Structures are given as structure tokens and as C-alpha cells.
Amino acid sequence: MKLTHNSHQSGFTLAEILTAMAIAVVIFAAIITASLAMQKSFNAVDHYFATHIQQVRIIDYLNRDVKRALICTTSVNQQTVTLTIPKYIIQSGDAEAVSNPSLVGAMRSPTISTTTSGVQVNYGTATSTVVYSINGASILRTEDGVVTTIASSTDQLVPSTIDTDLANTEKTTMAVTFHPIFTSGNVADERTGTTVFSLAYLRNKRRG
Amino acid sequence: MKVSFIQNERGNVLLCAVCTIFVVSLIAANVLLNCTARYNQASNQVRSWNEALYAAESGADIAYNEVRKIASNPASAFGASNGWATSGTTYTSGTTTFGTNGLRTSQTVDLFYSDPASGNAWYRIRSKGISPLQGLKRTGMDDRLSNGNRFAANGATRGDGDTLLRKIDFKYDHFTATYGPTGDGTNKAIVAVSPAPQLSRRIELIAAPVGPFDDVAIKVTGNFYGLGSAAYIDSYRSSAGPYDPSVKTNPSDPRYADSQSGSVQIDNATATVMGDIYGNLYTNGGTTTKKTLNVHGTIDNNVPFTLDSFSIPTYLPAPQASPTNINANTIVTPPAAGTARAPTVYLLSSFTKQLTINQNGSSQTYVAIHLTSDFTGAIDVKPGVHVQFFINGNVDVKAGDIVNETGYAGNMQFYSISPTDGSSQHININSPGNLVATFYAPSADFTMNGNPDVTGAIIAKSFYGNGNTSWHYDRSLDSLGDVTDYRIASYVEDIR
């Protein structure tokens, strides 16, 4: 006897279909789970890098301003930094600019004066005050009342600055941490693990 | 039995696998793209920005080194062989390229101020550092901050976040376009950066002259003995008022800080230091401790230094025709007030009697005396007169023979010219009398006898004094005398 096989009449048994469906469900479940995990991981990594960039930016802003500062003071909670900086650039509203508006944006020539504490270099008669502070999720830099948001993150960025005045110099240590999205329960350790640290000396406080 | 099998009716497993891989790859690629962009910004752009400052500060060090040569070896300062171009009192360097990342720096130095009291020059150093942008030529991902004009050629309107801070020049030099090449607003132009892109930072430093009597009451390179066990060295600032002996023990007095600068510097490991020192004590390898001495300031036993031999300044004008010696009591009134750099000069071959120097009218009067032999006479400096006394020989006088009626040590400056043949030189100040003067004698052995009240400073090869001297260093001396070195007095960065 010869059996013929017509492909149009082929099929699967119920058991085969159920088995295949079960396997498919497992596979799709794995894929979906993996995809969600990857998406979450991506989101966490993206946040981590994005916040890290802001960490570095805060550090670099502080570093730049501390190096050129005349005076640096930090608050008791170490989260507000006040810097006194020479007014190297003529700004709108300055005495020179009032009499000659075209000078706005120009560099000042230094002058030398003798004070009771010795000779000193002056850029104009006033100085700029720069304040770094936290406002909600934002880190603000305020220069003579003009506010610039230098970092803004939902990852709870926290800068900490300590100013140390030594006998022959002055230095400022800065550390910025944040709270990453992926946590395993020990928030303090995870925040500590994100620390970016920097140290800057006030160039104007070099002595000797 | 024959079973036929049609390929086209196989299942779609392969297709599912490919689709899955595609989706997963898309996610992975997205992650990779974002991470790469973030890394590029957080690592490469930040590194380049910081390296630009390293370049600028390195350039400033190069320029500062040239400025220091003005004090130590003026003929070699800002030499054309080192790539410097000179125009009046402005010096411009060539471009120096260094480091594995091709950092570049260039500087301009100009004399912007001359101290009217000493005539010493102050220099402004402007240094520019350029770092080629490392990594990818991409902007950052500052999507969490408010939008703005991020990469406008006009730097004054530049955007936010990293752009506002780092000001990367991807195609054009924003600084030249906005402020001009020197930053003074002239010659603005759109200039393509090469090699693009790059970051640049600019700093300005002020190099201030350091005088020989800067922050030191006694400074010797050799042996030191003194003073008496009941002696003391304190300080004050004459420009802030007359000396007050109560200030040094009264921390609440606003002049207290000025009273704690009577420092002693000894470039020797062996020294006998006695009395109270209201300032710092430095030795070179000594073992001084506060348990054995009344040093109210800092003790540092690792401060080596050198003193260059001293020769008469070359800027002095031609001397007056007379007098040419002081072998009889003499009174001179300079014909002109002069300045610190252009005083009235008297060239003397001997000095054994008294010289009285009067003021020219009511003007502050500047006088320089060059004595080519020993000084054994006496000198009386009237109020309003500033004297620099250059001596080739030795000094053997009583403290009372040096009368400084101005009351300021800086107005009676003694300089012992170093013997070129290496022979010994000495300065002996004997009792009685008090002393208001400064001595700069890097080649001389200095001896002080008796218990004089001293206002001033002494720089010498060695020092011996066993009297219970009360010694007051005047901090106003820090800006007097010919420059011996330069220090950086100010640092600003042009953040535009």
C-alpha cells in the first residue's frame, strides 16, 4: 500500500500546540521581562551618566570660581558657598559703564593701592559676590544677583564644600554626591559610591 | 512509503529570533549611543577644558620665569632667542606646544605700574591656553536645563549648562568673534579654529616685586647668634601708625597682626637663637622647637634660601661734582628732589666725618651715596629725605652715628656691595645709640654690640649680637629697596 501525504492536510496535535504555546509564552515572557529590565537599566544608566555630568559641572564651576576668588566661606551645613571675586570684566551698572556704556564687557586694568595691610591689586573699586546654593532639585550659582541654574536633577544632587584657611594658603575641598535610581537598600552607601571629589587652592591666597 | 515535505510551511522561529535580536539590538544601540555621548562629554570635553587651564597656567609660569629674570639677570629676560618679541615695555611670546594632547599656550607681559617709593616695576602676565577637543566632535545632552543659544559665535549670548561653562569652539573662535583677539573689543572677526574643535582659557596674573626686606627682621645665610636672652623682635607697620610696644601682646588690637612679623631666617642648621621672636623662625635643617625658645610664630626648619651677591644698581644717574669725600663735617642740600629711580647721587672716596643731608624744599627728596671705601663717619638724614647708601668697604660706626630724623627705617638704606675678589666684609655697629635703618649686605658679617633699640631689618652673611635689644621690624619695608624677586600677587581668569 502506498500512502500519499497532502501538505494541505497536515497539522499539529493539540498537545503539540499547547506545548508550543507554553514554550512561546515562556520565551515572550522572558523577552518582555528582559526588555523591561534593559529599559530600566538603560534609564538608570542614562540618569547616572547625566547626573554624573552635572556633578562634574558643579565641581568645575566651583573649581573655576574658587581658584580666582579672594575670599571663600562655606556655610555650617557645607552646602552654601560664598565667594568674593575680583571684578575683572566691566559690567552693566558699574561706574565706568555708567559714564561710558561701550565699556561693558571690557577688561579692567588693575590698580595698585597701599592699605594698612600692605599693597594690594584691585580690579575696580568693588568685587563680585558669587553664591552657590541648593534650591529644590537645582544647584544655583548667583553672581551679583544674577541666578544661573548650573545643575538640575531629580537624583538629589548634594554638593558639600569645606574651606580651610592655612597659615600660608587657603584651600577648598568639594564633593558632590547623588542618589542613583538603582538601589539595593543601603542608600547611604550608594550615595557615597557616587562621590566626585575635588580640591582647589585660592590662587590669590598664595603667600611667600 | 513516501512522505512529501514542503519547506515553505516551516514555522516562524527564525523570524521571531531575528526580530527579537533586532529589538534587543536597538535598545542596546540606544544605550550605547547615550552612554558614548555622556562619556564623551563627562570625560573628553571635561578633560580638554581642564587641560586648557593647565596650558594657560603653564604659559603663565613660563612668563613668570622671564619676569623673575628681571631681578636676577635682566640681560637674559624676554630674550628673542626664547621666542619673545619686545615692543617698549610689552613682551609677547611665540606659541609653545607641549604635551601628548597638543596643548598650546602664548603669553603677553607688560609693565603696567611702577612703585613710586621704590621705582620697582609691576608686571601683568596674560596667558592663553588652548586644548584641542578630545574625543567626539559632539555637543552634550543638556536636556535637563532650559534651552538657549548654545553654540552661537557670539559668546556673550551662549546658552546653558556645559556650554555656558566650557564654551567649546567647534567651528569658530567665539572669543575673537565677540571680544577680539586680545579681549579688548577691537578687531573682532569670525575666525575658524584650527585644528577644530578646541577649548581655550585665559588667565591674568600680576607679578609684584619683592624687596630685600620683605617680611623679615634678620636674614642670614651663615652663622647666627643672638640676641640677648631678654631681647625681643616684634614688628609694626609704619604706614598704619607709630610703633606701640603694647600691641604685640594684645590680640584684640587691630594692629596685632602687624606686630607678629618680626621673622628671623637662617640658612643654616646651627644657630643660637635667644630672646622673644614675635614672628616666624626659619632654619635650614635646624632642630628648633618651641620648648626651648619663645618663638610666637611658626617654626620651620626646612627653609633653604640663597642670597645673590650685591652690585650697585645700573640705573643711577651721574654723580654730583661735589662733595667727593666727607673728611670734614659737611651739609648737602640736593639740587633736585629726584625720584627713587633717579635720585641725586654723590660719589665719595672716603667718609670719616659727619654728613648732613637736607630736604630739597618741601619735596620728598631722594639721595644715593656711593662710597668706594670704608664708612667710619656719621650721617644725619633730615625729615623728608630718602637715602640709599652703597658702600664698597666695611662699616665701623656707633649706632648713634646714624641719625635718621625721618623715623622710618626705609629712609636710611645701607647696601654693602659684594667684593668681587671674594674678600671678607664686615659691618660693626657699636654702642651707644639707637638705630633706625636697614642693611642689605649679603657678603658681610654683621656684629651689633650693646643694647640698642633697633627699627629696621638686616640681611647679611652672618649675624652676631648679644645685647638685650628691642628690635622692631617695619612691615612697610616690604615694598622698599631694589627688587630681589617677584611673586604672584593676583590671579584672575577671563571666563568670557
mmCIF file of all heavy atoms in Angstrom, chain A residues 61 64 89 105, chain B residues 148-170 172-180 188-191 200 202 494-496:
data_model
loop_
_atom_site.group_PDB
_atom_site.id
_atom_site.type_symbol
_atom_site.label_atom_id
_atom_site.label_comp_id
_atom_site.label_asym_id
_atom_site.label_seq_id
_atom_site.Cartn_x
_atom_site.Cartn_y
_atom_site.Cartn_z
ATOM 1 N N TYR A 61 32.528 74.316 37.959
ATOM 2 C CA TYR A 61 32.121 75.694 38.248
ATOM 3 C C TYR A 61 32.774 76.183 39.539
ATOM 4 O O TYR A 61 33.367 77.262 39.610
ATOM 5 C CB TYR A 61 30.595 75.781 38.395
ATOM 6 C CG TYR A 61 29.863 76.333 37.190
ATOM 7 C CD1 TYR A 61 29.057 75.525 36.399
ATOM 8 C CD2 TYR A 61 29.962 77.674 36.850
ATOM 9 C CE1 TYR A 61 28.367 76.020 35.303
ATOM 10 C CE2 TYR A 61 29.281 78.187 35.758
ATOM 11 C CZ TYR A 61 28.486 77.358 34.992
ATOM 12 O OH TYR A 61 27.822 77.872 33.914
ATOM 13 N N ARG A 64 36.592 76.620 39.220
ATOM 14 C CA ARG A 64 36.957 77.823 38.477
ATOM 15 C C ARG A 64 36.825 79.062 39.354
ATOM 16 O O ARG A 64 37.720 79.911 39.388
ATOM 17 C CB ARG A 64 36.059 77.963 37.244
ATOM 18 C CG ARG A 64 36.414 79.116 36.337
ATOM 19 C CD ARG A 64 35.329 79.381 35.328
ATOM 20 N NE ARG A 64 34.109 79.916 35.956
ATOM 21 C CZ ARG A 64 33.024 80.286 35.294
ATOM 22 N NH1 ARG A 64 32.984 80.141 33.991
ATOM 23 N NH2 ARG A 64 31.970 80.770 35.917
ATOM 24 N N ILE A 89 35.884 91.982 34.665
ATOM 25 C CA ILE A 89 35.159 92.476 33.494
ATOM 26 C C ILE A 89 34.188 93.573 33.925
ATOM 27 O O ILE A 89 33.469 93.428 34.915
ATOM 28 C CB ILE A 89 34.382 91.326 32.815
ATOM 29 C CG1 ILE A 89 35.338 90.182 32.457
ATOM 30 C CG2 ILE A 89 33.648 91.829 31.577
ATOM 31 C CD1 ILE A 89 36.429 90.570 31.487
ATOM 32 N N GLY A 105 31.661 94.847 29.271
ATOM 33 C CA GLY A 105 32.289 93.663 28.680
ATOM 34 C C GLY A 105 33.780 93.789 28.504
ATOM 35 O O GLY A 105 34.444 92.820 28.142
ATOM 36 N N GLY B 148 18.568 77.337 25.244
ATOM 37 C CA GLY B 148 19.143 78.641 24.969
ATOM 38 C C GLY B 148 20.009 78.546 23.734
ATOM 39 O O GLY B 148 20.063 77.521 23.078
ATOM 40 N N ASN B 149 20.676 79.624 23.417
ATOM 41 C CA ASN B 149 21.586 79.613 22.278
ATOM 42 C C ASN B 149 22.891 78.961 22.723
ATOM 43 O O ASN B 149 23.662 79.555 23.438
ATOM 44 C CB ASN B 149 21.849 81.042 21.795
ATOM 45 C CG ASN B 149 20.559 81.714 21.380
ATOM 46 O OD1 ASN B 149 19.714 81.096 20.757
ATOM 47 N ND2 ASN B 149 20.408 82.968 21.761
ATOM 48 N N ARG B 150 23.090 77.764 22.303
ATOM 49 C CA ARG B 150 24.191 77.020 22.898
ATOM 50 C C ARG B 150 25.537 77.275 22.240
ATOM 51 O O ARG B 150 26.547 77.318 22.895
ATOM 52 C CB ARG B 150 23.873 75.533 22.870
ATOM 53 C CG ARG B 150 22.767 75.235 23.851
ATOM 54 C CD ARG B 150 22.526 73.775 23.998
ATOM 55 N NE ARG B 150 21.491 73.567 24.994
ATOM 56 C CZ ARG B 150 20.771 72.486 25.094
ATOM 57 N NH1 ARG B 150 20.970 71.498 24.267
ATOM 58 N NH2 ARG B 150 19.852 72.383 26.018
ATOM 59 N N PHE B 151 25.552 77.378 20.965
ATOM 60 C CA PHE B 151 26.846 77.470 20.297
ATOM 61 C C PHE B 151 26.902 78.654 19.353
ATOM 62 O O PHE B 151 27.425 78.565 18.263
ATOM 63 C CB PHE B 151 27.158 76.163 19.569
ATOM 64 C CG PHE B 151 27.399 75.057 20.540
ATOM 65 C CD1 PHE B 151 26.373 74.234 20.936
ATOM 66 C CD2 PHE B 151 28.653 74.889 21.100
ATOM 67 C CE1 PHE B 151 26.592 73.236 21.870
ATOM 68 C CE2 PHE B 151 28.875 73.895 22.038
ATOM 69 C CZ PHE B 151 27.848 73.068 22.422
ATOM 70 N N ALA B 152 26.354 79.768 19.783
ATOM 71 C CA ALA B 152 26.426 80.963 18.969
ATOM 72 C C ALA B 152 27.873 81.431 18.874
ATOM 73 O O ALA B 152 28.640 81.286 19.821
ATOM 74 C CB ALA B 152 25.561 82.055 19.586
ATOM 75 N N ALA B 153 28.240 81.971 17.718
ATOM 76 C CA ALA B 153 29.593 82.518 17.581
ATOM 77 C C ALA B 153 29.788 83.663 18.552
ATOM 78 O O ALA B 153 30.882 83.899 19.048
ATOM 79 C CB ALA B 153 29.819 82.987 16.148
ATOM 80 N N ASN B 154 28.702 84.370 18.829
ATOM 81 C CA ASN B 154 28.777 85.445 19.813
ATOM 82 C C ASN B 154 28.736 84.840 21.209
ATOM 83 O O ASN B 154 27.695 84.399 21.683
ATOM 84 C CB ASN B 154 27.601 86.402 19.607
ATOM 85 C CG ASN B 154 27.691 87.593 20.554
ATOM 86 O OD1 ASN B 154 28.433 87.556 21.532
ATOM 87 N ND2 ASN B 154 26.971 88.636 20.244
ATOM 88 N N GLY B 155 29.898 84.794 21.842
ATOM 89 C CA GLY B 155 29.999 84.115 23.120
ATOM 90 C C GLY B 155 29.148 84.727 24.212
ATOM 91 O O GLY B 155 28.784 84.061 25.165
ATOM 92 N N ALA B 156 28.831 86.021 24.078
ATOM 93 C CA ALA B 156 28.070 86.682 25.130
ATOM 94 C C ALA B 156 26.656 86.141 25.241
ATOM 95 O O ALA B 156 26.007 86.317 26.266
ATOM 96 C CB ALA B 156 28.033 88.184 24.877
ATOM 97 N N THR B 157 26.175 85.517 24.179
ATOM 98 C CA THR B 157 24.803 85.015 24.210
ATOM 99 C C THR B 157 24.774 83.501 24.348
ATOM 100 O O THR B 157 23.762 82.879 24.106
ATOM 101 C CB THR B 157 24.060 85.416 22.928
ATOM 102 O OG1 THR B 157 24.700 84.792 21.816
ATOM 103 C CG2 THR B 157 24.032 86.905 22.753
ATOM 104 N N ARG B 158 25.904 82.941 24.694
ATOM 105 C CA ARG B 158 25.931 81.482 24.759
ATOM 106 C C ARG B 158 25.024 80.945 25.837
ATOM 107 O O ARG B 158 24.841 81.552 26.880
ATOM 108 C CB ARG B 158 27.357 80.999 24.957
ATOM 109 C CG ARG B 158 28.116 81.004 23.638
ATOM 110 C CD ARG B 158 29.246 80.050 23.663
ATOM 111 N NE ARG B 158 29.709 79.815 22.314
ATOM 112 C CZ ARG B 158 30.518 78.822 21.984
ATOM 113 N NH1 ARG B 158 30.929 77.982 22.880
ATOM 114 N NH2 ARG B 158 30.896 78.670 20.741
ATOM 115 N N GLY B 159 24.583 79.717 25.573
ATOM 116 C CA GLY B 159 23.489 79.050 26.233
ATOM 117 C C GLY B 159 23.577 78.691 27.683
ATOM 118 O O GLY B 159 23.657 79.536 28.554
ATOM 119 N N ASP B 160 23.556 77.424 27.979
ATOM 120 C CA ASP B 160 23.369 76.992 29.350
ATOM 121 C C ASP B 160 24.219 75.753 29.614
ATOM 122 O O ASP B 160 24.894 75.235 28.748
ATOM 123 C CB ASP B 160 21.893 76.687 29.598
ATOM 124 C CG ASP B 160 21.314 75.831 28.504
ATOM 125 O OD1 ASP B 160 22.056 74.979 27.969
ATOM 126 O OD2 ASP B 160 20.146 75.995 28.156
ATOM 127 N N GLY B 161 24.130 75.299 30.870
ATOM 128 C CA GLY B 161 24.802 74.063 31.231
ATOM 129 C C GLY B 161 26.278 74.066 30.878
ATOM 130 O O GLY B 161 26.989 75.038 31.111
ATOM 131 N N ASP B 162 26.717 72.961 30.319
ATOM 132 C CA ASP B 162 28.131 72.840 29.988
ATOM 133 C C ASP B 162 28.578 73.876 28.970
ATOM 134 O O ASP B 162 29.705 74.347 28.998
ATOM 135 C CB ASP B 162 28.417 71.436 29.440
ATOM 136 C CG ASP B 162 28.879 70.516 30.564
ATOM 137 O OD1 ASP B 162 28.420 70.715 31.702
ATOM 138 O OD2 ASP B 162 29.695 69.627 30.292
ATOM 139 N N THR B 163 27.709 74.207 28.053
ATOM 140 C CA THR B 163 28.073 75.176 27.027
ATOM 141 C C THR B 163 28.428 76.518 27.643
ATOM 142 O O THR B 163 29.387 77.174 27.249
ATOM 143 C CB THR B 163 26.892 75.363 26.058
ATOM 144 O OG1 THR B 163 26.506 74.094 25.614
ATOM 145 C CG2 THR B 163 27.289 76.228 24.898
ATOM 146 N N LEU B 164 27.661 76.916 28.614
ATOM 147 C CA LEU B 164 27.895 78.194 29.276
ATOM 148 C C LEU B 164 29.212 78.176 30.029
ATOM 149 O O LEU B 164 29.911 79.184 30.124
ATOM 150 C CB LEU B 164 26.740 78.481 30.247
ATOM 151 C CG LEU B 164 26.689 79.872 30.871
ATOM 152 C CD1 LEU B 164 26.566 80.934 29.814
ATOM 153 C CD2 LEU B 164 25.519 79.950 31.841
ATOM 154 N N LEU B 165 29.558 77.008 30.553
ATOM 155 C CA LEU B 165 30.782 76.899 31.341
ATOM 156 C C LEU B 165 32.011 76.726 30.452
ATOM 157 O O LEU B 165 32.997 77.443 30.598
ATOM 158 C CB LEU B 165 30.673 75.706 32.298
ATOM 159 C CG LEU B 165 31.921 75.368 33.105
ATOM 160 C CD1 LEU B 165 32.249 76.491 34.073
ATOM 161 C CD2 LEU B 165 31.724 74.058 33.864
ATOM 162 N N ARG B 166 31.935 75.784 29.536
ATOM 163 C CA ARG B 166 33.169 75.383 28.840
ATOM 164 C C ARG B 166 33.404 76.126 27.529
ATOM 165 O O ARG B 166 34.525 76.220 27.064
ATOM 166 C CB ARG B 166 33.147 73.876 28.602
ATOM 167 C CG ARG B 166 32.920 73.099 29.893
ATOM 168 C CD ARG B 166 33.123 71.615 29.732
ATOM 169 N NE ARG B 166 32.414 70.876 30.768
ATOM 170 C CZ ARG B 166 32.800 70.801 32.041
ATOM 171 N NH1 ARG B 166 33.926 71.394 32.408
ATOM 172 N NH2 ARG B 166 32.090 70.134 32.930
ATOM 173 N N LYS B 167 32.353 76.575 26.895
ATOM 174 C CA LYS B 167 32.479 77.390 25.683
ATOM 175 C C LYS B 167 33.380 76.735 24.640
ATOM 176 O O LYS B 167 34.403 77.287 24.218
ATOM 177 C CB LYS B 167 33.004 78.789 26.034
ATOM 178 C CG LYS B 167 32.073 79.597 26.931
ATOM 179 C CD LYS B 167 32.610 80.982 27.182
ATOM 180 C CE LYS B 167 31.603 81.877 27.863
ATOM 181 N NZ LYS B 167 31.232 81.491 29.211
ATOM 182 N N ILE B 168 32.976 75.561 24.222
ATOM 183 C CA ILE B 168 33.759 74.832 23.225
ATOM 184 C C ILE B 168 33.629 75.530 21.874
ATOM 185 O O ILE B 168 32.531 75.888 21.447
ATOM 186 C CB ILE B 168 33.263 73.379 23.110
ATOM 187 C CG1 ILE B 168 33.356 72.684 24.464
ATOM 188 C CG2 ILE B 168 34.073 72.617 22.071
ATOM 189 C CD1 ILE B 168 32.702 71.324 24.495
ATOM 190 N N ASP B 169 34.758 75.717 21.218
ATOM 191 C CA ASP B 169 34.755 76.289 19.871
ATOM 192 C C ASP B 169 34.759 75.140 18.870
ATOM 193 O O ASP B 169 35.814 74.608 18.523
ATOM 194 C CB ASP B 169 35.985 77.178 19.666
ATOM 195 C CG ASP B 169 35.953 78.411 20.552
ATOM 196 O OD1 ASP B 169 34.849 78.912 20.821
ATOM 197 O OD2 ASP B 169 37.031 78.856 20.979
ATOM 198 N N PHE B 170 33.564 74.758 18.409
ATOM 199 C CA PHE B 170 33.504 73.646 17.470
ATOM 200 C C PHE B 170 33.961 74.060 16.081
ATOM 201 O O PHE B 170 34.649 73.319 15.403
ATOM 202 C CB PHE B 170 32.084 73.073 17.406
ATOM 203 C CG PHE B 170 31.777 72.168 18.557
ATOM 204 C CD1 PHE B 170 31.123 72.637 19.672
ATOM 205 C CD2 PHE B 170 32.166 70.838 18.528
ATOM 206 C CE1 PHE B 170 30.854 71.810 20.741
ATOM 207 C CE2 PHE B 170 31.910 69.998 19.604
ATOM 208 C CZ PHE B 170 31.249 70.481 20.706
ATOM 209 N N TYR B 172 34.168 77.963 15.226
ATOM 210 C CA TYR B 172 34.701 79.318 15.226
ATOM 211 C C TYR B 172 35.175 79.715 16.616
ATOM 212 O O TYR B 172 34.649 79.239 17.622
ATOM 213 C CB TYR B 172 33.639 80.313 14.743
ATOM 214 C CG TYR B 172 33.123 80.016 13.368
ATOM 215 C CD1 TYR B 172 31.859 79.471 13.176
ATOM 216 C CD2 TYR B 172 33.923 80.243 12.247
ATOM 217 C CE1 TYR B 172 31.392 79.169 11.908
ATOM 218 C CE2 TYR B 172 33.463 79.944 10.971
ATOM 219 C CZ TYR B 172 32.205 79.409 10.811
ATOM 220 O OH TYR B 172 31.755 79.103 9.565
ATOM 221 N N ASP B 173 36.151 80.592 16.641
ATOM 222 C CA ASP B 173 36.683 81.095 17.907
ATOM 223 C C ASP B 173 35.691 82.126 18.461
ATOM 224 O O ASP B 173 35.634 83.261 17.978
ATOM 225 C CB ASP B 173 38.056 81.728 17.669
ATOM 226 C CG ASP B 173 38.721 82.171 18.964
ATOM 227 O OD1 ASP B 173 37.995 82.399 19.955
ATOM 228 O OD2 ASP B 173 39.951 82.296 18.984
ATOM 229 N N HIS B 174 34.920 81.719 19.463
ATOM 230 C CA HIS B 174 33.875 82.614 19.970
ATOM 231 C C HIS B 174 34.481 83.858 20.615
ATOM 232 O O HIS B 174 33.903 84.938 20.583
ATOM 233 C CB HIS B 174 33.013 81.880 21.004
ATOM 234 C CG HIS B 174 33.622 81.807 22.375
ATOM 235 N ND1 HIS B 174 34.597 80.890 22.712
ATOM 236 C CD2 HIS B 174 33.442 82.571 23.482
ATOM 237 C CE1 HIS B 174 34.959 81.076 23.970
ATOM 238 N NE2 HIS B 174 34.286 82.090 24.463
ATOM 239 N N PHE B 175 35.677 83.725 21.207
ATOM 240 C CA PHE B 175 36.281 84.853 21.920
ATOM 241 C C PHE B 175 36.687 85.946 20.938
ATOM 242 O O PHE B 175 36.400 87.135 21.144
ATOM 243 C CB PHE B 175 37.502 84.367 22.712
ATOM 244 C CG PHE B 175 38.017 85.359 23.715
ATOM 245 C CD1 PHE B 175 37.521 85.380 25.006
ATOM 246 C CD2 PHE B 175 38.987 86.287 23.366
ATOM 247 C CE1 PHE B 175 37.982 86.307 25.933
ATOM 248 C CE2 PHE B 175 39.462 87.209 24.285
ATOM 249 C CZ PHE B 175 38.951 87.217 25.571
ATOM 250 N N THR B 176 37.341 85.535 19.853
ATOM 251 C CA THR B 176 37.753 86.515 18.848
ATOM 252 C C THR B 176 36.537 87.162 18.194
ATOM 253 O O THR B 176 36.539 88.358 17.899
ATOM 254 C CB THR B 176 38.633 85.837 17.788
ATOM 255 O OG1 THR B 176 39.749 85.239 18.435
ATOM 256 C CG2 THR B 176 39.127 86.836 16.758
ATOM 257 N N ALA B 177 35.505 86.354 17.996
ATOM 258 C CA ALA B 177 34.307 86.892 17.354
ATOM 259 C C ALA B 177 33.594 87.907 18.247
ATOM 260 O O ALA B 177 33.005 88.874 17.763
ATOM 261 C CB ALA B 177 33.353 85.748 17.019
ATOM 262 N N THR B 178 33.669 87.714 19.550
ATOM 263 C CA THR B 178 32.887 88.546 20.461
ATOM 264 C C THR B 178 33.687 89.678 21.071
ATOM 265 O O THR B 178 33.185 90.788 21.246
ATOM 266 C CB THR B 178 32.321 87.677 21.601
ATOM 267 O OG1 THR B 178 31.801 86.481 21.055
ATOM 268 C CG2 THR B 178 31.221 88.418 22.348
ATOM 269 N N TYR B 179 34.941 89.390 21.404
ATOM 270 C CA TYR B 179 35.736 90.368 22.159
ATOM 271 C C TYR B 179 37.023 90.790 21.457
ATOM 272 O O TYR B 179 37.757 91.625 21.970
ATOM 273 C CB TYR B 179 36.088 89.791 23.535
ATOM 274 C CG TYR B 179 34.914 89.158 24.240
ATOM 275 C CD1 TYR B 179 34.816 87.783 24.370
ATOM 276 C CD2 TYR B 179 33.878 89.945 24.746
ATOM 277 C CE1 TYR B 179 33.726 87.196 24.992
ATOM 278 C CE2 TYR B 179 32.780 89.369 25.363
ATOM 279 C CZ TYR B 179 32.718 87.983 25.482
ATOM 280 O OH TYR B 179 31.635 87.418 26.082
ATOM 281 N N GLY B 180 37.312 90.185 20.337
ATOM 282 C CA GLY B 180 38.570 90.475 19.659
ATOM 283 C C GLY B 180 39.687 89.597 20.186
ATOM 284 O O GLY B 180 39.585 89.033 21.277
ATOM 285 N N LYS B 188 37.387 92.463 16.144
ATOM 286 C CA LYS B 188 36.527 91.282 16.208
ATOM 287 C C LYS B 188 36.417 90.651 14.825
ATOM 288 O O LYS B 188 36.343 91.360 13.816
ATOM 289 C CB LYS B 188 35.124 91.670 16.681
ATOM 290 C CG LYS B 188 35.072 92.247 18.082
ATOM 291 C CD LYS B 188 33.642 92.635 18.412
ATOM 292 C CE LYS B 188 33.560 93.521 19.627
ATOM 293 N NZ LYS B 188 32.179 93.989 19.864
ATOM 294 N N ALA B 189 36.388 89.339 14.778
ATOM 295 C CA ALA B 189 36.297 88.664 13.487
ATOM 296 C C ALA B 189 35.837 87.232 13.708
ATOM 297 O O ALA B 189 36.100 86.633 14.752
ATOM 298 C CB ALA B 189 37.648 88.678 12.785
ATOM 299 N N ILE B 190 35.127 86.721 12.707
ATOM 300 C CA ILE B 190 34.758 85.307 12.737
ATOM 301 C C ILE B 190 35.956 84.532 12.208
ATOM 302 O O ILE B 190 36.319 84.627 11.038
ATOM 303 C CB ILE B 190 33.521 85.035 11.853
ATOM 304 C CG1 ILE B 190 32.321 85.839 12.354
ATOM 305 C CG2 ILE B 190 33.209 83.546 11.835
ATOM 306 C CD1 ILE B 190 31.769 85.379 13.666
ATOM 307 N N VAL B 191 36.580 83.802 13.070
ATOM 308 C CA VAL B 191 37.794 83.074 12.700
ATOM 309 C C VAL B 191 37.575 81.591 12.958
ATOM 310 O O VAL B 191 37.211 81.194 14.076
ATOM 311 C CB VAL B 191 39.004 83.582 13.521
ATOM 312 C CG1 VAL B 191 40.256 82.786 13.178
ATOM 313 C CG2 VAL B 191 39.219 85.064 13.286
ATOM 314 N N SER B 200 39.602 77.052 24.812
ATOM 315 C CA SER B 200 40.651 77.983 25.228
ATOM 316 C C SER B 200 40.270 78.615 26.565
ATOM 317 O O SER B 200 39.090 78.832 26.849
ATOM 318 C CB SER B 200 40.859 79.072 24.165
ATOM 319 O OG SER B 200 39.685 79.833 24.001
ATOM 320 N N ARG B 202 41.815 81.699 29.465
ATOM 321 C CA ARG B 202 42.723 82.837 29.600
ATOM 322 C C ARG B 202 42.824 83.260 31.058
ATOM 323 O O ARG B 202 41.803 83.369 31.735
ATOM 324 C CB ARG B 202 42.222 84.016 28.754
ATOM 325 C CG ARG B 202 42.265 83.766 27.260
ATOM 326 C CD ARG B 202 41.381 84.732 26.506
ATOM 327 N NE ARG B 202 41.505 84.544 25.063
ATOM 328 C CZ ARG B 202 40.902 83.576 24.377
ATOM 329 N NH1 ARG B 202 40.112 82.720 25.003
ATOM 330 N NH2 ARG B 202 41.077 83.472 23.079
ATOM 331 N N ASP B 494 39.781 85.089 32.815
ATOM 332 C CA ASP B 494 38.818 85.711 31.914
ATOM 333 C C ASP B 494 37.861 84.616 31.468
ATOM 334 O O ASP B 494 38.212 83.783 30.637
ATOM 335 C CB ASP B 494 39.550 86.320 30.713
ATOM 336 C CG ASP B 494 38.626 87.145 29.845
ATOM 337 O OD1 ASP B 494 37.390 87.025 29.997
ATOM 338 O OD2 ASP B 494 39.133 87.915 29.006
ATOM 339 N N ILE B 495 36.672 84.599 32.041
ATOM 340 C CA ILE B 495 35.757 83.487 31.793
ATOM 341 C C ILE B 495 34.801 83.766 30.642
ATOM 342 O O ILE B 495 33.848 83.016 30.435
ATOM 343 C CB ILE B 495 34.945 83.152 33.060
ATOM 344 C CG1 ILE B 495 34.037 84.330 33.446
ATOM 345 C CG2 ILE B 495 35.876 82.782 34.207
ATOM 346 C CD1 ILE B 495 33.051 83.996 34.535
ATOM 347 N N ARG B 496 35.051 84.825 29.891
ATOM 348 C CA ARG B 496 34.128 85.152 28.820
ATOM 349 C C ARG B 496 34.181 84.104 27.713
ATOM 350 O O ARG B 496 35.188 83.467 27.506
ATOM 351 C CB ARG B 496 34.452 86.527 28.239
ATOM 352 C CG ARG B 496 34.237 87.630 29.249
ATOM 353 C CD ARG B 496 34.615 88.973 28.694
ATOM 354 N NE ARG B 496 36.037 89.036 28.385
ATOM 355 C CZ ARG B 496 36.635 90.060 27.785
ATOM 356 N NH1 ARG B 496 35.924 91.103 27.452
ATOM 357 N NH2 ARG B 496 37.918 90.050 27.543
#
